Amino acid sequence: MNKVVEQLTQMIGQESKNISPSPYGRWLNGKILEVNEGFLKVSYEIREEFSNPGGIMHGGVLAGMMDELIGMAGYTLNKEGFFVAANINVDFLRPVNVGERVVGTTNVVRAGKTMMHIECQIHNTDNKLVAKAASNLVKMSLKA
């Protein structure tokens, strides 16, 4: 087990608002349920500030949630450098209401030296697929 996975494992069940190095991650305030190298499972409660005027979860927040999870899954590989999204392809499949809880699962499909391909799925409490995303991340010269 690498040091990043060890650190995240110690955070299982804690709210991200207290522990995440990412300001956006703190705002989303997920709870890590499971972590392994290249894999992450996180739950989120859908708050009112996540909603659109129709009273359902805003697609931009849902896409941002998956982008955050994808980045975290890449981070679990403990690679040198900082990887950022070059693209993200999102499919919205079902609405999510304020007050519901969703679970995001993400895994690294391929991790090269300078690029990664990572996929993410969000399920509702009935285990129905709400949205899915795939992203290619590219290595930057920044340090994580």
Side-chain angles (χ1 to χ4, degrees):
M1 185 181 307
N2 70 44
K3 78 173 187 168
V4 172
V5 172
E6 285 179 24
Q7 290 171 340
L8 291 174
T9 298
Q10 293 174 6
M11 298 175 185
I12 289 175
Q14 297 181 48
E15 291 185 327
S16 295
K17 69 179 178 182
N18 301 319
I19 56 174
S20 179
S22 163
Y24 188 67
R26 289 191 299 268
W27 181 74
L28 289 171
N29 196 31
K31 287 184 184 178
I32 297 173
L33 302 175
E34 189 178 339
V35 62
N36 263 307
E37 196 168 298
F39 174 84
L40 198 69
K41 189 174 191 178
V42 178
S43 71
Y44 297 92
E45 183 178 336
I46 308 309
R47 303 186 313 266
E48 183 180 16
E49 60 262 36
F50 291 0
S51 68
N52 63 23
I56 60 174
M57 187 170 183
H58 191 288
V61 177
L62 193 53
M65 187 179 285
M66 290 187 285
D67 185 48
E68 184 77 4
L69 290 170
I70 285 167
M72 289 174 68
Y75 183 63
T76 65
L77 299 179
N78 199 27
K79 286 186 166 277
E80 186 71 29
F82 189 72
F83 286 77
V84 298
N87 69 351
I88 185 166
N89 298 301
V90 177
D91 293 310
F92 303 107
L93 304 170
R94 284 188 171 76
V96 181
N97 295 309
V98 171
E100 287 187 64
R101 184 163 287 282
V102 296
V103 174
T105 306
T106 185
N107 67 321
V108 176
V109 175
R110 183 182 182 283
K113 291 179 184 175
T114 59
M115 289 196 76
M116 292 186 211
H117 182 79
I118 304 176
E119 296 177 345
C120 182
Q121 294 187 343
I122 304 282
H123 289 84
N124 64 17
T125 53
D126 295 330
N127 203 30
K128 291 184 178 176
L129 186 61
V130 169
K132 62 187 180 104
S135 183
N136 292 303
L137 287 76
V138 63
K139 184 178 180 179
M140 302 296 289
S141 59
L142 304 170
K143 298 283 182 192

